[in-house]
Amino acid sequence: MKTALVTGANKGIGYGIIKHLGLSGWRVILGARDPKRAEKAIKELKSLGIEVLGWVNIELADIESIEQAAAEIKEKYPELSLLVNNAGIPGDMSVDGLHTEIRDIKETIDVNFIGTFTLTQLLMPLLEKNNGRIVNITVPSEISPYWHPLAYVASKAAQNAMMGVLAMEFQQPDTPLEIFSVHPGPTTTDLNGNMALPGFHDIETVGLKTAELINDGKRHQGEFIELYPIVKED
């Protein structure tokens, strides 16, 4: 049985991904931190005929919460074979890099990198047993001249480095694990204040295309895949 955990799955890109994974035959587990939103999302997914196994409370800023969530997943869902690290926070996008507070950088890195890495690390033994995959939803490490909030970009650059290092290590001893990263491209979500400029895509489109990528039957070890690359202006 194909079983997937998607973090931040009760709304936004995470919801789009888990919806289309479910529609393509995956049994799904929601990672979330808001019970009401999680239950609402589960109700909507089940109405589409998706097999939802349940939801797990994961607060990526809290190591103890991550440890408890990982223990619950190992106990309840031993068949887990896919982890989609989607959850994250934007940091303060209203300030330029020079005026970014150190506290904001720490908080954003704690969630987007340290929290994500901790969950990945704790679930790796289970995923390895099931010949599993890890997919990170991220942005390029290269700095875009059009959008570059320091705390967020720095946290995702660290996450990208994690992916690259683990991919190399998975290959060396022929470990039955795969990890790769997906950049959805400009997407209208709560994270960016529901920005909808030319070139932006919606959650439905990104969710479908991400699920298609996961289901394409190809090996993507260590790849950074852009679904919709940012088009440079003249």
Side-chain angles (χ1 to χ4, degrees):
M1 297 296 293
K2 299 188 300 182
T3 303
L5 166 67
V6 181
T7 64
N10 60 303
K11 64 175 184 174
I13 291 175
Y15 179 80
I17 293 171
I18 205 167
K19 172 184 173 180
H20 285 284
L21 284 175
L23 289 173
S24 66
W26 287 82
R27 301 192 307 170
V28 298
I29 308 157
L30 288 78
R33 56 179 181 172
D34 186 310
K36 289 184 179 179
R37 286 179 176 173
E39 295 297 340
K40 180 176 181 291
I42 288 173
K43 184 177 180 180
E44 292 170 354
L45 292 169
K46 286 185 174 180
S47 73
L48 298 172
I50 293 170
E51 187 175 357
V52 183
L53 298 180
W55 78 282
V56 180
N57 190 304
I58 304 175
E59 173 53 75
L60 290 175
D62 183 347
I63 298 297
E64 185 176 338
S65 168
I66 299 170
E67 291 172 341
Q68 290 174 352
E72 180 180 346
I73 291 163
K74 291 174 185 177
E75 179 182 353
K76 291 183 177 179
Y77 314 111
E79 69 283 2
L80 181 74
S81 59
L82 174 64
L83 167 63
V84 180
N85 287 314
N86 165 77
I89 61 173
D92 187 353
M93 296 191 174
S94 68
V95 298
D96 58 20
L98 184 62
H99 297 95
T100 302
E101 294 185 8
I102 295 300
R103 180 182 64 183
D104 184 45
I105 292 175
K106 287 182 176 180
E107 288 176 353
T108 309
I109 289 177
D110 277 348
V111 171
N112 296 356
F113 171 56
I114 295 175
T116 294
F117 174 69
T118 302
L119 179 64
T120 301
Q121 188 179 48
L122 290 172
L123 292 180
M124 273 197 284
L126 181 59
L127 292 166
E128 183 174 359
K129 185 183 73 173
N130 296 326
N131 296 297
R133 286 182 292 169
I134 301 154
V135 180
N136 293 336
I137 307 302
T138 183
V139 300
S141 297
E142 295 80 11
I143 307 304
S144 166
Y146 314 115
W147 186 80
H148 44 261
L150 180 58
Y152 185 74
V153 173
S155 70
K156 289 297 185 175
Q159 191 182 102
N160 294 342
M162 174 195 84
M163 185 278 292
V165 170
L166 292 181
M168 291 180 65
E169 293 177 350
F170 291 167
Q171 291 182 63
Q172 290 170 359
D174 197 27
T175 303
L177 277 169
E178 180 183 359
I179 185 169
F180 62 94
S181 293
V182 176
H183 173 220
T187 308
T188 302
T189 69
D190 288 352
L191 185 141
N192 55 33
N194 292 305
M195 189 181 296
L197 300 174
F200 274 61
H201 295 86
D202 58 29
I203 290 165
E204 185 74 11
T205 301
V206 168
L208 173 60
K209 194 156 186 178
T210 303
E212 289 176 344
L213 175 64
I214 291 170
N215 291 324
D216 68 6
K218 299 177 182 178
R219 190 164 174 80
H220 296 290
Q221 186 77 276
E223 293 182 10
F224 183 97
I225 301 167
E226 293 193 87
L227 299 184
Y228 295 104
I230 298 173
V231 178
K232 294 183 178 180
E233 300 177 0
D234 296 330

